[in-house]
Amino acid sequence: MFGRRRREESPAGAEEVEQVEQVPARESGPWDSGEPFSERERVDLGGMRLPVDPGFEVQLNLAGDQIVGAVVMVDESALQVHAFAAPKRNGIWDEVRDELAEGVKSAGGTSEEQEGPFGVELAAKVPADGVAQPVRYIGVDGPRWFLRAVISGRAALDAQAAATLESVIRDIVVVRGDEPMAPKEAIELRIPAEAKQAMEQQAAGAEVPDLNPFRRGPEIAEIR
């Protein structure tokens, strides 16, 4: 889907021919909105389309008035996801992973790299309320975007519980947009129209069913 341009060597005096080198389509996500992706029920958050299944609770992370991330909670596990702008020609996960490791160390925790379903990830133990909590930091470099996922709770150690949240990561669709953005700038999200309407009706005191799973969510082992 995403091509790289290269110029063929031509004999002297011959017209230079520009060809597009095709990059094989990926077999699984996270997906870019500009490429074909699998069908699945998703919540449209503007800059991200988040897969949802029965039993999921979704919370939103806010930075001031801006929605910058989402948290999926299921059973005793949580998945926090943020999407950021990235340079066009190179990924930033290696750099971000080093920053995360340093942040964990500064907070009194420990971390080590390990191979995961999305490549190299960071397995950490982060102090929280006097207890070292296991956390997995996962990063995926996409075309002009970077997705950071944080798995905590039972799924940080239990492979079966983790599979559910890994499936969510695998089917996220990132909508980067064409506007200029600085590297590591958060891709802004928004509340779906139907959820926003339900919130407004509840705020006005109207008797409406509680159909809105979106609320301000906590930062889960947030390391910047």
Side-chain angles (χ1 to χ4, degrees):
M1 183 63 188
F2 303 101
R4 293 194 297 268
R5 293 189 178 275
R6 63 182 177 86
R7 295 186 180 276
E8 273 196 345
E9 295 291 335
S10 302
E15 182 179 355
E16 195 174 48
V17 179
E18 185 178 53
Q19 293 187 346
V20 176
E21 180 183 349
Q22 294 296 328
V23 178
R26 294 182 296 135
E27 296 182 355
S28 67
W31 308 100
D32 182 81
S33 59
E35 65 182 321
F37 50 83
S38 60
E39 291 296 328
R40 179 171 176 175
E41 184 180 359
R42 296 178 175 89
V43 173
D44 187 354
L45 298 175
M48 182 189 301
R49 298 172 192 166
L50 185 68
V52 292
D53 285 331
F56 284 10
E57 179 183 351
V58 179
Q59 299 181 347
L60 299 180
N61 291 140
L62 281 77
D65 294 330
Q66 182 182 10
I67 301 173
V68 295
V71 181
V72 176
M73 305 182 71
V74 55
D75 296 330
E76 301 172 358
S77 304
L79 166 69
Q80 184 183 54
V81 287
H82 292 79
F84 303 90
K88 182 182 295 185
R89 298 188 180 277
N90 59 286
I92 61 175
W93 175 222
D94 289 345
E95 177 185 348
V96 171
R97 193 168 64 250
D98 289 342
E99 293 174 354
L100 288 168
E102 183 61 34
V104 169
K105 182 179 178 181
S106 298
T110 60
S111 66
E112 62 178 0
E113 294 186 354
Q114 65 182 22
E115 192 69 23
F118 302 94
V120 179
E121 60 183 56
L122 196 66
K125 290 185 178 179
V126 180
D129 299 325
V131 180
Q133 299 289 346
V135 177
R136 287 173 56 194
Y137 293 98
I138 297 169
V140 180
D141 288 308
R144 298 176 63 234
W145 52 259
F146 166 72
L147 183 74
R148 186 186 66 200
V150 185
I151 293 178
S152 60
R154 178 183 172 189
L157 298 174
D158 186 314
Q160 185 173 355
T164 299
L165 298 182
E166 289 167 359
S167 175
V168 173
I169 299 172
R170 197 170 284 114
D171 279 332
I172 287 174
V173 178
V174 178
V175 185
R176 162 64 175 81
D178 297 324
E179 68 280 4
M181 296 179 68
K184 299 184 183 179
E185 181 179 348
I187 297 175
E188 187 172 358
L189 308 182
R190 59 170 170 77
I191 297 176
E194 59 274 16
K196 186 175 182 180
Q197 182 180 10
M199 291 174 66
E200 291 172 348
Q201 289 176 339
Q202 288 179 343
E207 291 293 331
V208 295
D210 185 11
L211 301 177
N212 172 38
F214 305 101
R215 57 180 64 88
R216 178 168 181 157
E219 292 293 316
I220 302 176
E222 179 71 10
I223 304 293
R224 292 188 179 276

